[in-house]
Amino acid sequence: MKIHEYQAREILQNFEVPIPAGEVAENALEAREIAQKLGGAVWAVKAQVHAGGRGKGGGVKLAKSLEEVEKIASEMIGMRLVTKQTGAAGAPVSKVLIQQGVSIASEYYVGFLIDRAAQSAVLLASSEGGMEIEKVAAENPEKIVKVYIDNDEGLTEKEAMSVTTQLGMSGDIQQKAVKVLQRLWNVFKTQDCSLLEINPLIVTVGGEVYPLDAKMNFDDNALYRHPESEALIDPTQEDPTELEAHEAGLQYIQLDGNIACLVNGAGLAMATMDTIKLFGGEPANFLDIGGGATPEKVTAAFKIMLSKPEVKVILVNIFGGIMKCDTIAEGIVEACKAVKLTVPLVVRMNGTHEELGKEILRESKLPIVSANTLGEAAEKAVNLAKGN
Ligand code: GDP
Ligand code: MN
């Protein structure tokens, strides 16, 4: 689960991480009032979207007067911001963060994340702050410092000293940075983050150490431990189709291809997507209908799959176990009546009550292309998607 920068800032504050003063605004007038209250001569106006790369996409601008704050805010609020991470459609901006301008002496990259292969949390840090860390990793990997963190020990002072020394810090600034790093680790662990990325962490001309940006993601599987985090969800930043699918109780992930898949079981759904790719096709989604699928759920799944104009064919792949083939077949027939089927439908069905399921589909007289194996089903779907 992702949250906005302004929400992450509040959490950082609760953990006594120092941040530059700022507040979030929902309209241009409010933005101006906040800037006035903050005082100073420069303000950063920052679009609040669940994506990075805002600076380059025009989502972070500096204003030098209250009029300018108001003007920039009025332009940003209501726009769809396109960045490298949003895709072409962009993300809607409904709030802007007004932050007191700071004079940057140097910028660093700091990121806490989970290294699954190492089964450990890891701190990545670099003196190349403000840049895309992916670029640094590709071009100057030696400029990234990496520390695996013992979950019980936490980030020790010794480790934090070593990291900040490698970043080139010393003296009072280093002491401040060490505290910031240890507190950031505290946030990461306590909040069950999957990512806490500060890019840039800055040292100001006045010698303060501040996170100037904060990207905080939570581990969805740990959300039950943080009921307060659920209140931070912003549905406007989520893919509307995925939201609808989750509300219907489907495990659904939107993809870029044109072959929609409806499968029972996550493993089988992955195998189905692999097999489609093996035959040269591209899946339009991952969809696990789960063990307890009802005809209503199948209908919801069909509606969601057909709502994407890119979809050229639907591939249903069912292995009947606890979920019986006849139940799914009834669901398919009902769904096809409820949602006008506009694309070819390929069905592969094996397992419990297989014959019964196939009979229901035959008797429905629906134009279904049937297949006996996953390979055959995928090949037929790929050919149909290509218009053959
Ligand atoms: P991102 O592009 O989505 O990662 O957004 P950031 O919050 O990192 O902002 C992009 C860049 O804007 C930062 O790397 C900074 O260089 C710059 N920036 C943001 N706030 C300020 C500020 O108050 N003063 C100055 N001088 N630069 C800022
Ligand atoms: Mn950033």
Side-chain angles (χ1 to χ4, degrees), residues 74-132:
S74 77
E75 284 162 3
M76 274 187 196
I77 296 171
M79 80 184 283
R80 289 190 78 91
L81 180 66
V82 178
T83 83
K84 253 185 145 173
Q85 294 182 6
T86 59
V93 181
S94 53
K95 293 188 175 82
V96 291
L97 171 70
I98 310 302
Q99 182 205 277
Q100 196 162 50
V102 286
S103 304
I104 302 174
S106 45
E107 297 183 277
Y108 303 87
Y109 172 92
V110 173
F112 292 85
L113 56 149
I114 303 288
D115 181 336
R116 287 170 185 269
Q119 302 185 13
S120 172
V122 62
L123 163 60
L124 300 182
S126 172
S127 54
E128 305 297 294
M131 306 221 334
E132 283 167 47

Side-chain angles (χ1 to χ4, degrees), residues 77-376:
I77 296 171
M79 80 184 283
R80 289 190 78 91
L81 180 66
V82 178
T83 83
K84 253 185 145 173
Q85 294 182 6
T86 59
V93 181
S94 53
K95 293 188 175 82
V96 291
L97 171 70
I98 310 302
Q99 182 205 277
Q100 196 162 50
V102 286
S103 304
I104 302 174
S106 45
E107 297 183 277
Y108 303 87
Y109 172 92
V110 173
F112 292 85
L113 56 149
I114 303 288
D115 181 336
R116 287 170 185 269
Q119 302 185 13
S120 172
V122 62
L123 163 60
L124 300 182
S126 172
S127 54
E128 305 297 294
M131 306 221 334
E132 283 167 47
I133 194 66
E134 294 83 357
K135 214 172 156 201
V136 181
E139 292 167 12
N140 302 92
E142 76 287 352
K143 292 210 166 142
I144 298 179
V145 185
K146 200 170 182 181
V147 183
Y148 289 100
I149 303 168
D150 183 281
N151 202 49
D152 296 325
E153 292 276 317
L155 181 71
T156 63
E157 193 175 339
K158 202 171 145 212
E159 286 165 338
M161 280 298 283
S162 161
V163 169
T164 46
T165 301
Q166 290 176 76
L167 295 182
M169 295 178 176
S170 63
D172 185 42
I173 286 169
Q174 181 169 27
Q175 293 304 326
K176 286 180 183 166
V178 164
K179 272 212 184 94
V180 167
L181 288 184
Q182 288 190 295
R183 287 175 186 173
L184 288 174
W185 161 256
N186 217 354
V187 175
F188 182 84
K189 178 168 179 186
T190 316
Q191 299 298 115
D192 284 310
C193 294
S194 52
L195 174 78
L196 174 54
E197 184 179 64
I198 308 296
N199 190 21
L201 177 80
I202 59 157
V203 175
T204 66
V205 171
E208 297 304 322
V209 178
Y210 286 142
L212 198 62
D213 185 12
K215 196 191 270 181
M216 198 183 287
N217 297 351
F218 300 128
D219 178 352
D220 291 345
N221 293 317
L223 278 179
Y224 72 97
R225 287 205 284 237
H226 306 279
E228 76 289 350
S229 297
E230 304 236 21
L232 304 177
I233 291 176
D234 180 353
T236 69
Q237 299 291 316
E238 309 290 336
D239 181 307
T241 315
E242 287 187 7
L243 273 184
E244 199 187 325
H246 289 148
E247 273 159 25
L250 305 167
Q251 298 295 327
Y252 178 92
I253 294 162
Q254 184 69 38
L255 299 168
D256 294 331
N258 57 10
I259 302 175
C261 337
L262 187 160
V263 188
N264 66 327
L268 192 58
M270 306 269 262
T272 305
M273 298 187 333
D274 282 351
T275 313
I276 287 171
K277 289 193 96 115
L278 186 69
F279 283 98
E282 289 293 334
N285 64 273
F286 166 96
L287 195 164
D288 171 13
I289 191 138
T294 55
E296 291 74 41
K297 239 177 163 179
V298 179
T299 305
F302 268 75
K303 276 190 184 148
I304 286 162
M305 291 188 293
L306 289 169
S307 71
K308 293 279 150 185
E310 302 81 30
V311 167
K312 294 276 179 290
V313 49
I314 293 178
L315 168 54
V316 175
N317 184 23
I318 298 297
F319 183 77
I322 295 168
M323 157 73 87
K324 296 178 186 64
C325 291
D326 55 324
T327 312
I328 279 282
E330 275 166 16
I332 293 171
V333 174
E334 266 189 45
C336 291
K337 280 182 193 152
V339 297
K340 226 167 138 278
L341 192 64
T342 46
V343 297
L345 173 62
V346 180
V347 179
R348 180 249 175 170
M349 201 177 254
N350 284 134
T352 314
H353 292 188
E354 177 179 330
E355 286 313 318
L356 206 53
K358 286 181 173 165
E359 198 180 309
I360 291 168
L361 293 182
R362 262 195 311 275
E363 280 176 5
S364 74
K365 303 273 187 298
L366 286 164
I368 293 170
V369 179
S370 59
N372 286 317
T373 66
L374 172 51
E376 189 191 335

